[in-house]
């Protein structure tokens, strides 16, 4: 596991209660595990958004139709 830094976060009581509930209900061992999971999910969502935007900015490729999938299946069958 890579070295870890410490970060202190202040939460209102209502959010602290919510975090504690999530830890017990969703199987996280600590609040740190829960927060790390949320940050990873956010990072992954931002990366996906970037990829989607980059893909949307590209020129359209050939149409994906039944012929495309037939050719793909044939290529997979050949190994």
């Amino acid at each position: 596991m890579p070295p870890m830094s410490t970060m202190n976060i202040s939460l209102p009581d209502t959010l602290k209660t919510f975090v504690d509930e999530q830890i017990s209900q969703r199987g996280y061992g600590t609040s740190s595990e829960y927060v790390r999971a949320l940050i990873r999910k956010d990072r992954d969502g931002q990366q996906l958004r970037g990829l989607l935007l980059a893909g949307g900015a590209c020129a359209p490729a050939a149409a994906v139709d039944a012929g495309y999938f037939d050719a793909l299946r044939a290529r997979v069958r050949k190994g």
Side-chain angles (χ1 to χ4, degrees), residues 13-32:
D13 289 342
T14 54
L15 288 181
K16 169 79 168 72
T17 300
F18 177 79
V19 169
D20 291 341
E21 290 169 354
Q22 296 307 299
I23 292 166
S24 66
Q25 293 173 6
R26 298 172 72 187
Y28 293 100
T30 65
S31 58
S32 292

Side-chain angles (χ1 to χ4, degrees), residues 33-68:
E33 287 179 15
Y34 178 66
V35 170
R36 281 193 294 270
L38 290 176
I39 292 169
R40 285 185 192 107
K41 184 177 178 182
D42 187 46
R43 180 193 59 197
D44 293 348
Q46 288 182 22
Q47 288 175 340
L48 177 59
R49 184 176 192 278
L51 291 170
L52 291 170
L53 290 172
C58 291
V64 177
D65 56 13
Y68 170 84

